[in-house]
Amino acid sequence: MYNYAIQYTAGTTEASSAETSCADGATTLIEPLYGSVTLNPDNEDYQQIIAECLVRKDVVDAGYTKSDFMRDLGTSADFLTENPVGADCIVNPKG
């Protein structure tokens, strides 16, 4: 979602330690919250709005539900992984 940079020599123990320390104190905690608030500000049922997006963008037939999505998520459904529009609905269902 965002990038940050620290100055260090890649591959060193010091670099790895600095990156882990930074992630533990910031991005590991903040990034999931930021993503959730940004992509789903009304805190709607995420699987439901993904299913609605897939219908809205004609990736699946009308009547496709959250239950259908949850079933297909556990399979190798191409429209979820190979179709860019389907993948976009998973990443940003309100977009």
Side-chain angles (χ1 to χ4, degrees):
M1 295 197 154
Y2 54 88
N3 292 315
Y4 62 93
I6 56 176
Q7 298 293 323
Y8 60 81
T9 304
T12 65
T13 302
E14 179 183 349
S16 179
S17 177
E19 185 174 13
T20 299
S21 176
C22 182
D24 286 348
T27 56
T28 301
L29 301 172
I30 296 169
E31 190 170 6
L33 178 60
Y34 174 81
S36 179
V37 170
T38 302
L39 297 175
N40 188 8
D42 297 325
N43 197 28
E44 297 176 73
D45 183 312
Y46 206 72
Q47 289 80 20
Q48 179 64 39
I49 60 176
I50 291 172
E52 291 168 1
C53 178
L54 293 168
V55 171
R56 185 176 64 251
K57 295 193 175 187
D58 296 321
V59 176
V60 296
D61 294 332
Y64 189 81
T65 66
K66 171 186 173 177
S67 295
D68 297 325
F69 171 71
M70 296 304 292
R71 176 201 64 222
D72 294 339
L73 189 58
T75 69
S76 60
D78 287 344
F79 68 87
L80 295 176
T81 57
E82 301 299 322
N83 181 329
V85 177
D88 285 346
C89 280
I90 293 172
V91 174
N92 185 7
K94 297 299 247 179

